[in-house]
Amino acid sequence: MRANWTLVLFPAMLFSFLLLGGTQFLFIRAGFFEDLGIGLIGDELVLSNYVTAFTDSFYFDSLILNIQVSVLVVVCALICSYPVAYVIARMRSQQLAMIMLAAIVVSSFVTIVIKVLGLIIIFGSDGALNQTLVGLGIIDQPLQVVGNIYGVIIGLMHYVLGFMVLMLFSVIQTIPRSLEEAALIHGASPYRMFMRVVFPLSLPGVVTGALIIFNLCMGAFVSAALLGGGKVLTLPVVIERTIVLDIEYAMGGTLSAILLVSVILINILSVWLLNRFRKARLVIT
Amino acid sequence: MSGSKKLPKALVGSFVFLVYLFLLAPVIVVAAASFDGGKSVAGRAFLQFPPSDLTFYWYEQIQPRLWEALGVSVSVAAVAAMVGTLIGVPAALGIVRSNIPGKTLIATLFRAPLQIPFIVIGIAFLQTYYYVANTLGIGVQGTFAGLALGHTFVATPYVVGSVGAALQRFDIRLEEAALSLGANRLTTFRRITLPIIMPGIYAGALFAFMVSFGDVPIALFLTSATYTTLPVEIFHGMEFDFEATVLAISTVVLLGSLVVLYFIQRLVGLDVLLRSGGSG
């Protein structure tokens, strides 16, 4: 009986792992060739692309910018999504909670291209928001969002916020309400109850969610390319340009490998840091 | 309840409202602006929100190119979801039920495509297709098969994740009961196991479809000028100045997504999507 399931697993494993191993090996290998211009690639394996990527500040800066923007978006998304997820999870009316969740699902399922299209209409200099704000005299100049870092951050927030709410909701929902009531009855203020009971219990979900949306942000291309207006050069944007505009396939491979390795390293590092932090806290309290 | 407690509640309430406004406004604006008559300046239309008048003009003007791209998107996403399900369901069954050594590693490897940035996946498949074209002489870049394979790669982990979650909640005694009552293995699987994990399969397949349907960074590299998906068309249209018809076809897609979600809600309930979690 057991052997059956291994047999069932095997073809799926073969297909998936061949595809994973094959594509990843070939693109990493491609990054070690030399670009000869107009899309041609040399025959010898060299390190020159990596030397360029780490010495040319253009490439290195785009990686740093990519990480900074992603961290910022993760923090903002956490701050925005936690209250929403909490409110839905603790809602008395089951029906209203369902409607609010459905709205999140709908907005998450719409492709990001269409949402960015909407954002450009809203935040465009002659868009609805700017006309209203200027009309009310709140601002003198229309807010410029397309073509700068704020636009990219807004776009990325749109990309990840829905996912984060759904993930946090499923975690907070599993925390028994009775724990909160117990804390409140014993005299904890709502703030203290939240910080000492709810938040610590949801922490594993927060960390998993934060890492997932961090990865999404690191690889996000559409928001960065369209709302950055070609001026905010995060690594995914630079990779696309290297391939499509400069036709440097090898360099594109190199930069992709650097992006991939950075993402994996940051994931490992944060899990490791968190474990250390947790152990240290256990000793103190 | 005292006034000091009501104030934070109102604050939290308005905060939640603002987040919803932020999330839903772009979608509503796109749909509303697509019905605007617009001012046509030198052949280009400038639509506005709120719309000044209501017209279906831009829907009639949608270019055949965009409809074709929509067709490509739907068929590629359908194939990716189907193949992803055919691979993902056995994979989930195998991971949860077999006692093969190194299960954690196998599960991690099945999840791996989710950790790889989409743009990297796009480049990796592009390089692989070049390699295949150079060594075997088979050109798959810019074809249906090439694109569907790339999307299957990212779609499968969603099916593995949601079906795996359904299997872990599964009460194995139900199968034992069926077997002890004389059903054979195949009947047990078909009549007991499959119906119970079906919501997980629907959820996984739907995620797979939507991931493939919405994707730009992978399709950008695996499509060609003549064979392309709708999101890539919209993306290219937006890189400069978008035409009003893009808003119209986007609204068609929005309506389509709503219809799909409605049927999912009727069929298995939207909460199945929440329980299985998009993260896989």
Side-chain angles (χ1 to χ4, degrees):
Chain A
M1 180 190 178
R2 295 288 178 190
N4 278 345
W5 292 123
T6 312
L7 271 181
V8 166
L9 177 62
F10 200 68
M13 255 172 80
L14 196 69
F15 179 87
S16 294
F17 295 174
L18 208 65
L19 213 51
L20 178 69
T23 54
Q24 300 305 300
F25 170 75
L26 283 173
F27 102 79
I28 290 171
R29 178 170 163 275
F32 286 101
F33 291 110
E34 204 179 348
D35 282 302
L36 302 173
I38 55 164
L40 294 174
I41 287 175
D43 303 321
E44 284 169 58
L45 295 169
V46 288
L47 273 173
S48 58
N49 289 335
Y50 281 88
V51 174
T52 315
F54 283 108
T55 49
D56 189 335
S57 64
F58 172 74
Y59 295 119
F60 195 67
D61 288 352
S62 72
L63 174 64
I64 298 300
L65 177 70
N66 207 16
I67 295 173
Q68 286 171 335
V69 168
S70 302
V71 170
L72 191 63
V73 171
V74 168
V75 172
C76 293
L78 258 180
I79 295 172
C80 289
S81 57
Y82 206 106
V84 177
Y86 185 81
V87 165
I88 302 176
R90 290 293 184 253
M91 200 155 265
R92 284 209 185 83
S93 153
Q94 216 47 43
Q95 220 162 7
L96 187 59
M98 202 59 221
I99 291 170
M100 288 181 78
L101 280 176
I104 300 272
V105 171
V106 168
S107 90
S108 307
F109 267 45
V110 174
T111 163
I112 184 71
V113 194
I114 295 179
K115 290 195 272 191
V116 168
L117 186 60
L119 286 173
I120 290 177
I121 298 175
I122 294 174
F123 288 103
S125 40
D126 54 351
L129 185 76
N130 273 321
Q131 279 181 355
T132 317
L133 289 180
V134 173
L136 289 172
I138 299 172
I139 48 169
D140 306 325
Q141 294 282 316
L143 294 171
Q144 270 303 337
V145 171
V146 181
N148 62 36
I149 192 97
Y150 303 110
V152 175
I153 289 171
I154 289 176
L156 287 176
M157 286 285 283
H158 235 279
Y159 185 37
V160 300
L161 202 53
F163 294 122
M164 197 65 194
V165 172
L166 295 181
M167 281 185 282
L168 287 177
F169 165 78
S170 58
V171 176
I172 297 173
Q173 204 193 18
T174 60
I175 303 172
R177 210 182 286 226
S178 53
L179 289 180
E180 293 181 15
E181 284 156 8
L184 290 174
I185 288 169
H186 286 90
S189 66
Y191 172 77
R192 203 173 149 80
M193 179 274 288
F194 179 78
M195 291 311 279
R196 298 299 292 262
V197 178
V198 181
F199 189 69
L201 283 173
S202 66
L203 201 58
V206 170
V207 173
T208 320
L211 279 180
I212 289 172
I213 64 170
F214 175 81
N215 295 350
L216 285 177
C217 289
M218 284 296 283
F221 169 70
V222 174
S223 320
L226 291 177
L227 289 166
K231 291 178 201 115
V232 183
L233 296 173
T234 57
L235 197 48
V237 178
V238 172
I239 291 174
E240 192 255 358
R241 296 185 148 206
T242 308
I243 298 268
V244 175
L245 293 182
D246 306 338
I247 330 177
E248 292 180 354
Y249 293 120
M251 193 65 196
T254 309
L255 295 174
S256 304
I258 291 174
L259 176 61
L260 179 61
V261 172
S262 323
V263 168
I264 294 173
L265 282 182
I266 291 172
N267 277 279
I268 294 173
L269 190 71
S270 10
V271 171
W272 180 77
L273 275 177
L274 190 86
N275 284 337
R276 283 203 54 161
F277 173 72
R278 266 205 200 139
K279 272 181 201 149
R281 265 182 57 134
L282 277 178
V283 174
I284 297 165
T285 47
Chain B
M1 201 174 265
S2 67
S4 64
K5 263 188 185 168
K6 268 181 189 155
L7 186 66
K9 250 194 170 167
L11 268 177
V12 171
S14 27
F15 183 80
V16 170
F17 175 76
L18 282 179
V19 171
Y20 269 87
L21 190 66
F22 174 68
L23 277 178
L24 296 176
V27 179
I28 296 166
V29 162
V30 166
S34 72
F35 295 107
D36 183 33
K39 311 165 267 190
S40 193
V41 180
R44 291 205 87 88
F46 294 90
L47 299 189
Q48 52 183 23
F49 179 85
S52 52
D53 52 351
L54 281 178
T55 161
F56 282 94
Y57 179 70
W58 299 114
Y59 288 82
E60 292 155 17
Q61 297 296 312
I62 294 174
Q63 299 91 329
R65 182 171 55 84
L66 291 178
W67 287 119
E68 272 167 38
L70 179 61
V72 170
S73 284
V74 171
S75 49
V76 167
V79 168
M82 221 144 56
V83 180
T85 308
L86 287 178
I87 297 162
V89 174
L93 280 164
I95 292 170
V96 175
R97 297 209 163 163
S98 77
N99 55 353
I100 188 170
K103 253 196 201 179
T104 328
L105 179 67
I106 292 172
T108 309
L109 285 176
F110 267 111
R111 253 198 318 271
L114 295 177
Q115 317 286 335
I116 308 172
F118 271 24
I119 189 134
V120 175
I121 294 175
I123 302 277
F125 273 83
L126 180 72
Q127 305 273 22
T128 305
Y129 290 167
Y130 278 139
Y131 180 81
V132 169
N134 283 337
T135 50
L136 304 173
I138 307 168
V140 269
Q141 199 274 335
T143 68
F144 180 83
L147 187 56
L149 188 64
H151 278 175
T152 304
F153 180 70
V154 288
T156 310
Y158 289 94
V159 182
V160 177
S162 69
V163 177
L167 278 169
Q168 252 142 17
R169 284 192 302 268
F170 185 87
D171 188 348
I172 201 84
R173 283 172 302 183
L174 292 172
E175 278 185 13
E176 285 160 5
L179 287 170
S180 70
L181 290 170
N184 64 28
R185 260 179 216 303
L186 192 66
T187 313
T188 308
F189 182 76
R190 212 162 44 81
R191 300 289 297 272
I192 306 290
T193 318
L194 206 54
I196 293 180
I197 62 170
M198 213 53 193
I201 297 178
Y202 280 132
L206 181 70
F207 270 115
F209 185 92
M210 293 313 285
V211 166
S212 163
F213 187 82
D215 161 70
V216 170
I218 299 174
L220 200 60
F221 297 108
L222 302 184
T223 52
S224 64
T226 50
Y227 189 82
T228 187
T229 65
L230 186 61
V232 172
E233 276 285 343
I234 300 178
F235 176 82
H236 283 314
M238 265 198 292
E239 269 184 310
F240 306 101
D241 197 9
F242 51 84
E243 294 164 60
T245 49
V246 164
L247 291 172
I249 193 114
S250 298
T251 310
V252 173
V253 171
L254 286 176
L255 276 177
S257 316
L258 279 180
V259 170
V260 169
L261 282 172
Y262 174 76
F263 277 112
I264 292 289
Q265 164 74 11
R266 291 296 300 272
L267 215 60
V268 285
L270 276 183
D271 49 327
V272 80
L273 297 178
L274 308 169
R275 245 188 287 132
S276 40
S279 51

